[in-house]
Amino acid sequence: MWGNQNRTLWFWVFVGPFLLGLGVFTYIPLGWSVYLSFFDAHNTVTPDDFVGFGNYRAMLRNEAFTDSLWTFFVFSLFIVPATYALSLALALMVHRQRRAQAFFRSVFFLPAACSYVVAALIWKMSIFNGVRFGLANTVLGWFGGDQIAWLSTTDPPWYWAVIVTVRLWLQAGFYMVLFLAGLQRISPTLYEAAAVDGARPGWQVFRHITFPQLRATSVAVVLLLVINAFQAFDEFYNLLSDSRGYPPYARPPLVYLYHTALGQGQNLGLGSAGAVLLALIIAVVTVGQAKWFGLGRKEAE
Amino acid sequence: MTISRRGLLGAGAAVGLLSACGSNTGRDDGGSGDGPKLSQWYHQYGEQGTEQAVKKYAAAYKKANVSVQWRPGNYDEQTAAALLTASGPDVFEVNGPSLDQIQGKQVADLTELFDGVKDDFNPAVLAPKTYDGRIWGIPQVVDMQMLYYRKSLLSDAGVRPPQTLDELVDAAKKLTSKRTKGLFLGNDGGAGVLGGMPLYAAGLELVTADGKVGFDDPAAARALGKIHQLYADKSLLLGAPADWSDPSAFVQGLTAMQWSGLWALPTVQKELGDDFGVLPFPKDGAEGKPAVPVGAYAAAVSTRSKHQKAGKDFLKWLWIDSTDRQEDFALGYGFHIPARMSLAKKAEKLRKGAAADAVRYTTDHGRAEPLLWTPASRSAYQDALSRIIKDGASPDEELKKVVRKVSAELDRVK
């Protein structure tokens, strides 16, 4: 009874700490970052030298920043279709599995629980190091191939193989689970009707029944994949940086902004301007993508 | 990754604040002295015993209660962020301090601590700690880098230790085989570690004495072109499990020559005995000179500290008065040259063999990065160097862009 009388109190007891955390750790820093972006803020978070849109102009003219956006674009081009295809294939495989389905689901999902940092270091130091005893080079050696410095050569850009495979391994299981949920929601009657209409099991059923029925899941997966690609930091940073910095290639926006704002340069004004620009780009791309996919549009329309 | 994390990372500047909010300042983990509590930060050294040594020094100081924080990870970034808040260290070692830190009044003026001993500090490492005639950090040791070469591999290939950049390119090519590469300059092909070396080797500077860009000269492009040649010849070891600062690739026979630091000398000596020698970075062209980079972590006092006076007193005791501890710190755990010239001269371990050569190179050819060479300039130059080495970009065009950026940066900080 007394619980009902104090519903407002209980609301704040449960929600308050989270709202407080959200405010302190997200919204205040975000607001402060926007504030900093209008100042010359070298080595200070309380600057007094107002520069207007100077930092924004500098960032947009900065080749390194625009290159980092290009890196995101290339990365998305690889990782979005690759993860989509692999996670869907895994989901279809596991879904059809009659025996030990839970086992295979767990096995494929397990990498999602692995830290990006740990996985990146394993990829860098054991599998794709550039010397003769690295796993990938050992395998190449069996077939008479030359050693490849996977992360250190730009022509051809082998580093993409390392970056993409590590993320693919880490995230395919998570998206597989989303697709599995989608597959389980497809009504069996549709497959029965298709069988009655003479559709051959396999590709034909997949193309005309399964794939269209997974549309909502597909849209969500692609949106999440693109947003996650924008957020790429951990594996890039751990694969390619060293104590002396980060090479100019395969440098995604967050890595570049991290070095600008929080590296030795401590140019917090310029870094914040870049962060605001990046946030705007993410917002525009996400909204554009959602519109294009017709997300939220009513069925009748 | 979660949305909230994106928000935080996207917010850029906020991360510094947050890391400071959550950081343990170390003020409560117990020193032994009376007086004010001081927290002292060090980056994590590779040499065993160093951490215990600095804790022992702190415990021996009785006029303040000094607690030591041994901080692994990106130390330079950690301290830079911590200095923005009041929860940072009172005294700390710094790979600098940078000009922005000095101009931003983040570090205290320590000039008065040098009364009577200033001339005993190695001028090569004291100069980058000096700005406007004031000294902003006490050099703890002198670190230097040099070229290690394996004598037996060179003699087997009929190659003599390279005295010029052309000879280095030629030697690296001849020493490259299916199992061993000629030269290791780091997994990035040398873009990070070489810094100004090729420019010094060509007789140029990063920044001139009057504060101008020191490498707006065709000799710069010529020298950098030769570094690309090393890469194009496939003479460079790339992708080693341990990077240039670790001598593993050299002692494991993955490379015949490696650029590394003096700190690697004990390991190389232990593994290879007398089968190695050391050289400075070789000269290039008629105007060129051999060069070795020198640098020093400095002990500094944060101006946000509530106990600046106590911090200065402690640093004076440790890094100015306690010469026995300075010698122990420099030579007891790994190889560094004491920052005090009087100590360096009498150090037994530095008197013979490769160590003596290293000390001589430091004296004759030592070059420190000038204070005006800011992180923004360094990063623009490093990017260009990477593109020249790996992508075969035109050194002339890349250098033109860097000269523009560095000039603008010099105008900002002067």
Side-chain angles (χ1 to χ4, degrees), chain B residues 88 144 151 161 188 246 259 274 291 335 342 345 354 359 377 399:
Chain B
M144 58 86 69
K151 286 178 181 170
D188 60 1
D246 187 312
W259 188 260
D274 291 333
F335 261 45
S342 56
K345 270 183 200 150
V359 174
S377 296
L399 281 169

Side-chain angles (χ1 to χ4, degrees), chain B residues 48-116:
Chain B
Q48 275 193 349
T50 318
E51 182 181 2
Q52 289 72 21
V54 297
K55 285 184 171 165
K56 195 173 68 189
Y57 308 154
Y61 188 64
K62 299 300 172 198
K63 290 182 184 165
N65 186 341
V66 183
S67 57
V68 169
Q69 278 256 311
W70 194 252
R71 300 183 75 91
N74 296 355
Y75 179 82
D76 297 339
E77 284 83 353
Q78 288 176 32
T79 47
L83 290 180
L84 299 174
T85 74
S87 60
D90 298 295
V91 294
F92 62 106
E93 64 169 15
V94 59
N95 190 10
S98 72
L99 192 52
D100 281 317
Q101 284 171 333
I102 296 168
Q103 289 181 335
K105 298 186 172 43
Q106 292 185 313
V107 287
D109 181 354
L110 304 180
T111 314
E112 64 196 25
L113 308 187
F114 286 81
D115 283 348

Side-chain angles (χ1 to χ4, degrees), chain A residues 73-87:
Chain A
F73 178 72
V74 175
F75 179 55
S76 305
L77 216 60
F78 283 128
I79 198 67
V80 175
T83 310
Y84 181 91
L86 182 66
S87 52

Side-chain angles (χ1 to χ4, degrees), chain A residues 25-26 29-30 32-33 36 42-45 63-64 67 125 129-133 145-147 149 151-154 167 227-228 231-234 237 242-249 251 254 258 262-266 268 272 275 282, chain B residues 1-18 74 76-77 80-81 84 95 98 100-101 106 145 178-179 187-188 192-193 231 237-241 243-244 252 254 375 378 382-383 386-387 390-391 401 412:
Chain A
F25 294 110
T26 302
L30 266 173
W32 205 314
S33 188
L36 283 175
H42 277 87
N43 293 63
T44 178
V45 285
E63 214 175 279
D67 279 356
M125 298 171 90
N129 72 42
V131 294
R132 57 179 182 268
F133 44 78
D146 286 336
Q147 291 169 32
L151 289 163
S152 305
T153 50
T154 53
R167 183 169 269 230
I227 291 171
N228 274 343
Q231 296 170 342
F233 180 86
D234 297 11
Y237 188 80
D242 61 41
S243 58
R244 296 277 167 153
Y246 192 100
Y249 57 88
R251 183 165 53 192
L254 282 190
Y258 169 79
L262 302 170
Q264 282 194 48
Q266 291 278 305
L268 295 154
S272 296
I282 295 177
Chain B
M1 293 194 191
T2 62
I3 298 294
S4 63
R5 183 153 177 231
R6 170 170 54 106
L8 291 176
L9 279 172
V15 179
L17 278 174
L18 293 176
N74 296 355
D76 297 339
E77 284 83 353
L84 299 174
N95 190 10
S98 72
D100 281 317
Q101 284 171 333
Q106 292 185 313
Q145 296 158 22
K178 185 98 178 156
R179 294 181 63 80
N187 285 326
D188 60 1
V193 72
Y231 179 84
L237 174 67
L238 297 164
D243 215 344
W244 65 274
Q252 286 169 4
L254 294 171
R378 188 183 305 125
Q382 257 177 240
D383 280 5
S386 177
R387 284 191 284 263
K390 291 184 181 175
D391 301 346
K401 284 193 267 181
R412 179 183 74 83

Side-chain angles (χ1 to χ4, degrees), chain B residues 109-285:
Chain B
D109 181 354
L110 304 180
T111 314
E112 64 196 25
L113 308 187
F114 286 81
D115 283 348
V117 293
K118 188 181 160 194
D119 292 342
D120 192 32
F121 277 86
N122 190 320
V125 288
L126 192 59
K129 318 295 177 199
T130 309
Y131 177 67
D132 261 356
R134 315 298 295 171
I135 305 171
W136 304 88
I138 310 172
Q140 296 175 170
V141 289
V142 181
D143 270 322
M144 58 86 69
Q145 296 158 22
M146 55 194 172
L147 185 70
Y148 288 80
Y149 65 92
R150 188 91 172 253
K151 286 178 181 170
S152 56
L153 291 178
L154 264 68
S155 64
D156 289 351
V159 171
R160 71 179 189 121
Q163 303 298 317
T164 66
L165 192 47
D166 289 317
E167 284 180 19
L168 179 71
V169 174
D170 190 44
K173 196 171 180 182
K174 285 183 180 155
L175 290 163
T176 296
S177 66
K178 185 98 178 156
R179 294 181 63 80
T180 303
K181 289 286 187 180
L183 176 62
F184 184 39
L185 295 174
N187 285 326
D188 60 1
V193 72
L194 287 182
M197 281 306 101
L199 306 177
Y200 298 146
L204 305 168
E205 305 278 341
L206 288 169
V207 180
T208 59
D210 58 346
K212 302 260 168 46
V213 179
F215 51 90
D216 191 4
D217 190 297
R222 185 192 65 215
L224 297 189
K226 289 175 187 174
I227 308 293
H228 168 67
Q229 192 58 46
L230 285 163
Y231 179 84
D233 287 346
K234 300 194 169 161
S235 308
L236 291 181
L237 174 67
L238 297 164
D243 215 344
W244 65 274
S245 59
D246 187 312
S248 301
F250 184 59
V251 298
Q252 286 169 4
L254 294 171
T255 178
M257 299 184 283
Q258 175 173 339
W259 188 260
S260 194
L262 176 62
W263 57 83
L265 194 78
T267 310
V268 176
Q269 232 156 13
K270 190 177 154 209
E271 298 292 328
L272 301 181
D274 291 333
D275 187 20
F276 80 99
V278 293
L279 286 170
F281 193 87
K283 65 180 182 175
D284 184 48

Side-chain angles (χ1 to χ4, degrees), chain A:
Chain A
M1 286 298 286
W2 60 274
N4 282 340
Q5 287 162 0
N6 291 289
R7 282 176 74 170
T8 312
L9 173 69
W10 286 116
F11 173 81
W12 286 111
V13 165
F14 284 107
V15 177
F18 295 100
L19 277 180
L20 191 69
L22 197 67
V24 170
F25 294 110
T26 302
Y27 292 116
I28 292 176
L30 266 173
W32 205 314
S33 188
V34 174
Y35 170 78
L36 283 175
S37 70
F38 295 107
F39 287 84
D40 180 5
H42 277 87
N43 293 63
T44 178
V45 285
T46 51
D48 48 21
D49 186 4
F50 184 76
V51 294
F53 284 96
N55 285 325
Y56 288 89
R57 277 195 296 274
M59 202 42 125
L60 286 170
R61 284 183 198 145
N62 185 345
E63 214 175 279
F65 180 64
T66 44
D67 279 356
S68 76
L69 294 175
W70 177 246
T71 294
F72 152 74
F73 178 72
V74 175
F75 179 55
S76 305
L77 216 60
F78 283 128
I79 198 67
V80 175
T83 310
Y84 181 91
L86 182 66
S87 52
L88 180 57
L90 288 175
L92 289 168
M93 245 164 58
V94 170
H95 188 60
R96 281 179 196 162
Q97 193 74 26
R98 289 285 161 254
R99 283 186 189 171
Q101 197 192 71
F103 171 76
F104 285 108
R105 203 171 48 208
S106 305
V107 165
F108 293 135
F109 182 74
L110 217 53
C114 182
S115 144
Y116 271 62
V117 177
V118 171
L121 291 177
I122 293 170
W123 251 246
K124 177 182 184 170
M125 298 171 90
S126 303
I127 304 175
F128 288 106
N129 72 42
V131 294
R132 57 179 182 268
F133 44 78
L135 182 63
N137 278 341
T138 304
V139 173
L140 278 179
W142 293 340
F143 299 100
D146 286 336
Q147 291 169 32
I148 292 175
W150 297 94
L151 289 163
S152 305
T153 50
T154 53
D155 184 23
W158 287 113
Y159 51 85
W160 279 123
V162 186
I163 292 165
V164 170
T165 51
V166 70
R167 183 169 269 230
L168 200 58
W169 182 76
L170 283 161
Q171 70 179 10
F174 172 77
Y175 292 100
M176 173 200 75
V177 171
L178 297 191
F179 277 122
L180 271 175
L183 286 170
Q184 280 157 9
R185 281 180 46 222
I186 301 174
S187 167
T189 53
L190 284 172
Y191 290 108
E192 286 159 18
V196 170
D197 288 346
R200 284 190 300 279
W203 173 244
Q204 223 172 23
V205 168
F206 173 76
R207 193 182 153 203
H208 295 289
I209 306 290
T210 313
F211 191 65
Q213 288 294 315
L214 284 175
R215 187 174 179 279
T217 311
S218 293
V219 169
V221 164
V222 172
L223 276 174
L224 286 172
L225 281 171
V226 172
I227 291 171
N228 274 343
F230 262 120
Q231 296 170 342
F233 180 86
D234 297 11
E235 74 272 45
F236 280 86
Y237 188 80
N238 286 287
L239 285 170
L240 287 165
S241 73
D242 61 41
S243 58
R244 296 277 167 153
Y246 192 100
Y249 57 88
R251 183 165 53 192
L254 282 190
V255 172
Y256 178 69
L257 294 178
Y258 169 79
H259 279 288
T260 304
L262 302 170
Q264 282 194 48
Q266 291 278 305
N267 193 343
L268 295 154
L270 189 65
S272 296
V276 172
L277 285 172
L278 186 63
L280 288 174
I281 293 169
I282 295 177
V284 168
V285 169
T286 310
V287 169
Q289 229 182 338
K291 283 237 176 237
W292 188 55
F293 283 129
L295 204 71
R297 207 180 292 154
K298 285 179 185 168
E299 287 299 318
E301 290 171 2

